[in-house]
Amino acid sequence: MSENSSTSGNEPTCRLIYKSQTSWDLLSNETLLELAKTSAERNDARGITGLLLLSGESFLQVLEGPSGEVNDLYLRISRDDRHGKLRLLIFEPIVRRTFEDWAMHVVDLDELPMAQRDFLRAKYPVEDDSITIPDDDRLAIALLLDARQLTLSETDRSSS
């Protein structure tokens, strides 16, 4: 989705960022990828874009789109028993999307190539060999932006 304005008429566009802990004992990459595929299809239909990071047993997700749709999705997430210790970090109106590249994209920080993991580990705290998902909203957006840049293909980067 490349549209930067709201897709629901005059409804304002917003950005919502939250962090949570997975309540799954074993979260397989296959399960996560299937969840991302299903979420991408639903999000695309609702005009929502975003990025979901997994680090260890922690999630950090950014959602951008029409305020009503993003709020409805966050409410569903808050009721989802796969998330624990849910914490809203940012909810703000935006004029332009930053994560318009994907209806939903998942990045497991522990699965990134070593050079990319080392880059992130030099910038962000590490605990139990995983990058710690920040509580600070500024650090959270910085981590999401870094992950976005690291995962865009060379073609995508050159056209940005």
Side-chain angles (χ1 to χ4, degrees), residues 21-45:
Q21 296 288 315
T22 177
S23 61
W24 299 336
D25 289 336
L26 294 173
L27 180 65
S28 70
N29 280 348
E30 295 81 25
T31 302
L32 195 58
L33 291 174
E34 184 58 36
L35 176 65
K37 180 181 174 191
T38 304
S39 296
E41 291 167 359
R42 280 185 279 186
N43 289 353
D44 189 47

Side-chain angles (χ1 to χ4, degrees), residues 29 43 94 110 118 121 154:
N29 280 348
N43 289 353
I94 57 173
D110 295 334
D118 288 345
R121 287 178 176 159
E154 291 300 318

Side-chain angles (χ1 to χ4, degrees), residues 1 3-5 47-49 64-66 94 96-100:
M1 169 164 294
E3 186 174 323
N4 286 321
S5 61
I48 297 174
T49 57
E64 295 177 333
I94 57 173
R96 185 173 181 88
R97 295 178 194 232
T98 302
F99 297 89
E100 72 277 358

Side-chain angles (χ1 to χ4, degrees), residues 128-146:
D128 297 329
D129 205 35
S130 291
I131 295 164
T132 303
I133 299 297
D135 288 319
D136 181 271
D137 58 345
R138 293 166 297 163
L139 288 175
I141 191 81
L143 178 56
L144 286 159
L145 289 168
D146 282 339

Side-chain angles (χ1 to χ4, degrees), residues 44-100:
D44 189 47
R46 292 179 173 96
I48 297 174
T49 57
L51 175 63
L52 173 67
L53 300 183
L54 174 65
S55 186
E57 296 180 359
S58 298
F59 290 115
L60 178 64
Q61 185 167 25
V62 58
L63 303 167
E64 295 177 333
S67 296
E69 295 290 347
V70 169
N71 280 325
D72 288 346
L73 177 55
Y74 183 68
L75 182 59
R76 284 193 301 278
I77 290 167
S78 72
R79 294 176 178 158
D80 188 330
D81 61 3
R82 294 174 291 191
H83 292 275
K85 299 181 182 176
L86 189 69
R87 181 164 179 224
L88 181 64
L89 299 176
I90 296 174
F91 181 75
E92 62 188 358
I94 57 173
V95 175
R96 185 173 181 88
R97 295 178 194 232
T98 302
F99 297 89
E100 72 277 358

Side-chain angles (χ1 to χ4, degrees), residues 100-119:
E100 72 277 358
D101 305 294
W102 309 287
M104 182 46 54
H105 187 69
V106 176
V107 175
D108 184 341
L109 298 179
D110 295 334
E111 297 292 322
L112 290 174
M114 188 57 73
Q116 293 177 344
R117 278 186 281 166
D118 288 345
F119 170 79

